[in-house]
Each structure stands twice: as C-alpha cells, then as structure tokens.
Amino acid sequence: MMRNQVEECKDAKALSFDRAAETVPRARRANEAESRRDQVLTTKVGLHIPVGLAFEEWERAGRQLSGLLNSSSWWLGDWLVYGKDHYADRYERGIRAAGLQYQTLRNYAWVSRRFELRRRRPALSFQHHAELASLPVGEQETWLDRAERMKWTTKQLRNAIRAQREGTPQATVEATTRRLAVPDNRLKWWHKAAAQSGTELADWVMDTLDAAAAQVLKEAERQLPLE
C-alpha cells in the first residue's frame, strides 16, 4: 500500500510516494507516533488538536489552514482548467469521480483563467482576485496594486471599486483604511454590542459613530445664538 506525502520543491509542492508504514522499523514508528501526539493533525472530518497546545502553535496552525483554504481555490480552478483543455470529452466524469460540485469548480476555473499564474498576488486572497476577475487586465493590475499597498480586505476592495463607480472621491475611499488603536477589552465590548444588534462590527462602528456625530452636531446647532 502506498501513501502520499507532500515534499517541498523550491516554491512549489509536489506529490511523492514512499514505502508503507508497515515496512518502517518498529522503533522508528513508535517515535513518529509519539511526536505526532504533540502536533495538530488533519483528518477527513476534522482536526486533532493535542491537549495543552501552546497559543503560538495554535495561531500558526490557523495561519497554515487559512493558507491552504485560499490556495485550494486556485488549485481546484487550475485543475479544472487543465481538465477542460486536455480532456474535453471526459473531464466531467473526473469531476463526478472526485465528488466535486461543478458550479463551484466553474467559478474557481473562471477566476484562474482570468489570472495567469505570474499575475497572481500571494499577499492577496483568491477572493480579492475574484472581485476583479470581470475587469480588463489593466484595471485588474491597478486594483491589485492598491489592495496590496493598502492591505485592503476583500470587503474594502469591493467598497473601493463601488465608490469609484459611483464617483466618490478617492481620498474618501483610501480613508477607510486608516487604523485606530483600540484596547482589547473595549474591542470585545464592541463585538458583543455588534452581535446583539445583529450586524458586523465594522458596520456597527460606522453606524454608532454616525449617530453620535449627528447628535453632537444637532446639539451644537441648538446652542447657536439666534440672529
């Protein structure tokens, strides 16, 4: 029996095969099993997380999982593009055999076709690219540059594109990326309030600040002397 292992090959990853675990010396298998107990392991139905895992290790696992999730969209898109280009009469059978949903794969493949490998930005997510897939190449590059430079989230990128289409000044768009240092306890408090309101934190903050500003300005107008 053979098992797949992923090995590093410069900046890419390739599948290789090694001998079955049964052929590995017993002492070595015991050492490997012992070391795996201290690792975060993936299975088809979830994660095995060891008791007492350090925060730094838990955080690193999250970054790795996030990276895999983002990369998998590109992988599946490229996989379908290749299948359609090389197995026009059989690729649908391959999709069914893999147990994948064609509609989802088609979306991945469309984005993959719109962005050649050399044009994809590792610092930005697949969803960033998906937001721009329908635009001409020149506009895609412009927005990718801005999103990467400003460290925009997908939502901020979407809002910036919408604002430009609606004629909102660019200064207003870029102002949305300014950061405010907030103590952790206050941030948790705000998250709780936003959850109670049934809104996202960013929307709740904007609505609350707008309401507060309107109230202050209204009070200021009342205090103006009558002429």
Side-chain angles (χ1 to χ4, degrees), residues 73-74 76-78 80-81 84 102-116 120 126 129-135 140:
S73 299
W74 288 120
L76 289 170
D78 291 340
L80 182 57
V81 168
K84 294 183 73 172
Y102 177 71
Q103 182 60 46
T104 301
L105 284 178
R106 188 172 67 174
N107 294 338
Y108 292 160
W110 180 65
V111 177
S112 294
R113 281 195 187 278
R114 295 290 294 159
F115 291 93
E116 300 173 5
R120 300 173 189 176
F126 179 87
H129 293 77
E131 291 289 336
L132 306 172
S134 62
L135 300 178
Q140 289 176 352

Side-chain angles (χ1 to χ4, degrees), residues 126-196:
F126 179 87
Q127 289 303 320
H128 281 92
H129 293 77
E131 291 289 336
L132 306 172
S134 62
L135 300 178
V137 172
E139 292 185 35
Q140 289 176 352
E141 291 299 311
T142 297
W143 285 112
L144 287 173
D145 287 341
R146 290 178 184 173
E148 195 167 12
R149 184 178 68 253
M150 305 298 293
K151 301 186 185 303
W152 280 339
T153 63
T154 304
K155 183 177 180 180
Q156 287 173 319
L157 173 60
R158 187 184 309 123
N159 290 342
I161 296 171
R162 183 185 301 117
Q164 179 165 298
R165 289 172 178 170
E166 295 174 354
T168 304
Q170 185 62 28
T172 303
V173 175
E174 296 193 357
T176 61
T177 63
R178 293 176 182 172
R179 299 182 182 278
L180 176 66
V182 179
D184 287 343
N185 59 342
R186 185 166 295 178
L187 188 60
K188 292 178 181 177
W189 194 33
W190 292 355
H191 269 293
K192 185 176 181 180
Q196 287 290 333

Side-chain angles (χ1 to χ4, degrees), residues 63-80:
R63 290 197 302 268
Q64 292 174 339
L65 290 171
S66 177
L68 286 172
L69 181 63
N70 180 63
S71 297
S72 66
S73 299
W74 288 120
W75 296 338
L76 289 170
D78 291 340
W79 177 78
L80 182 57

